[in-house]
Amino acid sequence: MVQLGAEPTPVARVDAPQARRRTGRRFDRREAVAGYLFISPWIVGFLVFTAGAMIYSLVISFSHYNLATNTARAAGTSNYSQLIEDPRVATALGNTLFYALLAVPLEIAFALFLATLLNGVGRGAGAFRTLFYLPKMTPVVATAAIFFLLLNGNSGAINQFLRAFGIEGPQWLVDPMWIKPSIVLMQLWAVSGTMVIFLAALKNVPRELYEVASIDGAGPVRRFVSITLPMISSATFFNVIVLTIAAFQIFDSAYLLFWRDQSNSSPEASLFYAVYLFQQAFRQFNFGFAAAMAWLLFVIIMAVTFVQMRFGSRLVYYEGDR
């Protein structure tokens, strides 16, 4: 007979929380497996075409590699020593650094200006966003051809416009002082990708902050400096890092404007690091030296990005921070 009030045996007890934890871990493992299966094409592509290529380039950077015969002769550190001895490497690095210091702030300012204009548009905002984004979809070759005509020092549309106001425009594509600004102008044409990120950040700024600031008597400039800039600082920080990396790898604009005819008559002011790397690899077929140049650029970009992350993050506001 069963006695009333008797306690159940320990075997009959069920640990519900422990069972739920086991079930949760089982579902977590299933989700993890499914997630890795979905991203497996990207993982394979990254390992084969990115990580594998980087490792291979590191290997041939210590050799004299011949593409025609697919043979390599050990070179030790001579390729890296040549980076110091070759004066054109220093010239290309200097041009690239100057361009980055000039282009990144202007691209940030112009993209933020366009995003602010679009953020204030009411009716027809979608149409304006589409029109502003169209230059980003234009092929680089077509953009270079257009700017090659616009920046012509004698008959270009930009100088003709300046002459209408009595201003004699510079020789954009000849004068070394104006070569890098001309490339910056070409880059500003396709700044709409950065503009979209700024526009999304502006849309997330609480309207209540502007209303309170207006009640306190803050003007448009004060609201922009004290509210808008701090609230979109994370987007600004991201754009600065991305644009800096892109500036150090600038190639297509300079190559299409100055170096596509495979001549050495182009001004040294247009010799950027990626252009000289391309010349060494695919014109001189000096793949070992080109690989060493690529790894030097990788180290420089990593160092600059580390400095930006280390000190720039202190100026960034995140909603989760206290």
Side-chain angles (χ1 to χ4, degrees), residues 146-173 178 181-186 189:
I146 293 173
F147 273 87
F148 189 81
L149 298 176
L150 292 175
L151 296 172
N152 187 287
N154 299 321
S155 59
I158 294 179
N159 280 2
Q160 289 184 3
F161 175 77
L162 294 176
R163 289 192 190 102
F165 297 92
I167 302 174
E168 188 63 29
Q171 294 290 330
W172 297 93
L173 303 178
W178 290 98
S182 66
I183 299 177
V184 172
L185 286 177
M186 183 175 170
W189 168 258

Side-chain angles (χ1 to χ4, degrees), residues 104 108-109 112 194 197-198 201-202 224 228-244 308 312 315-316:
V104 173
I108 290 292
L112 182 55
T194 306
I197 298 175
F198 274 130
L202 291 172
F224 181 79
T228 304
L229 288 182
M231 294 299 294
I232 66 170
S233 57
S234 58
T236 305
F237 184 53
F238 172 80
N239 284 329
V240 167
I241 292 178
V242 172
L243 291 177
T244 302
Q308 289 177 325
L315 305 175
V316 178

Side-chain angles (χ1 to χ4, degrees), residues 1-302:
M1 296 179 64
V2 179
Q3 297 181 357
L4 297 177
E7 296 183 357
T9 59
V11 178
R13 295 178 181 176
V14 178
D15 192 348
Q18 184 177 0
R20 284 195 296 269
R21 286 195 295 270
R22 287 198 299 267
T23 304
R25 286 195 294 268
R26 186 164 60 252
F27 281 113
D28 290 342
R29 286 195 295 269
R30 291 179 181 176
E31 292 178 356
V33 171
Y36 283 118
L37 287 176
F38 277 112
I39 66 173
S40 59
W42 180 89
I43 294 176
V44 173
F46 173 79
L47 293 176
V48 174
F49 298 107
T50 303
M54 290 179 64
I55 295 173
Y56 187 67
S57 68
L58 180 62
V59 173
I60 66 173
S61 69
F62 293 97
S63 66
H64 296 297
Y65 177 71
N66 190 322
L67 179 64
T69 60
N70 195 25
T71 58
R73 178 168 49 86
T77 59
S78 61
N79 289 325
Y80 291 93
S81 300
Q82 190 178 350
L83 292 175
I84 303 175
E85 299 170 357
D86 190 344
R88 302 197 79 192
V89 173
T91 301
L93 272 178
N95 291 336
T96 305
L97 178 60
F98 182 85
Y99 167 80
L101 293 175
L102 180 64
V104 173
L106 290 177
E107 289 176 349
I108 290 292
F110 188 57
L112 182 55
F113 172 72
L114 295 179
T116 304
L117 290 180
L118 288 178
N119 191 44
V121 175
R123 299 180 60 182
F128 281 105
R129 285 196 294 267
T130 302
L131 290 175
F132 277 52
Y133 193 78
L134 283 178
K136 185 68 175 180
M137 303 174 64
T138 306
V140 180
V141 176
T143 302
I146 293 173
F147 273 87
F148 189 81
L149 298 176
L150 292 175
L151 296 172
N152 187 287
N154 299 321
S155 59
I158 294 179
N159 280 2
Q160 289 184 3
F161 175 77
L162 294 176
R163 289 192 190 102
F165 297 92
I167 302 174
E168 188 63 29
Q171 294 290 330
W172 297 93
L173 303 178
V174 178
D175 189 347
M177 182 181 298
W178 290 98
I179 284 177
K180 283 180 277 293
S182 66
I183 299 177
V184 172
L185 286 177
M186 183 175 170
Q187 295 300 112
L188 291 179
W189 168 258
V191 79
S192 51
T194 306
M195 176 202 69
V196 169
I197 298 175
F198 274 130
L199 181 60
L202 291 172
K203 293 293 185 183
N204 289 329
V205 178
R207 299 293 99 186
E208 297 81 3
L209 297 178
Y210 295 115
E211 295 173 359
V212 172
S214 299
I215 294 173
D216 290 339
V221 177
R222 182 65 177 177
R223 292 197 299 268
F224 181 79
V225 173
S226 300
I227 297 176
T228 304
L229 288 182
M231 294 299 294
I232 66 170
S233 57
S234 58
T236 305
F237 184 53
F238 172 80
N239 284 329
V240 167
I241 292 178
V242 172
L243 291 177
T244 302
I245 295 174
F248 275 101
Q249 301 179 73
I250 181 69
F251 169 77
D252 46 11
S253 301
Y255 179 80
L256 292 170
L257 286 177
F258 300 100
W259 298 96
R260 58 182 175 180
D261 59 353
Q262 299 187 9
S263 67
N264 293 322
S265 60
S266 299
E268 288 292 302
S270 64
L271 181 65
F272 291 96
Y273 194 84
V275 173
Y276 190 49
L277 191 156
F278 174 84
Q279 291 177 342
Q280 289 294 320
F282 299 103
R283 290 186 182 174
Q284 305 297 328
F285 297 104
N286 193 355
F287 283 93
F289 181 60
M293 288 186 64
W295 275 97
L296 175 61
L297 181 61
F298 175 77
V299 171
I300 292 174
I301 291 176
M302 288 293 292

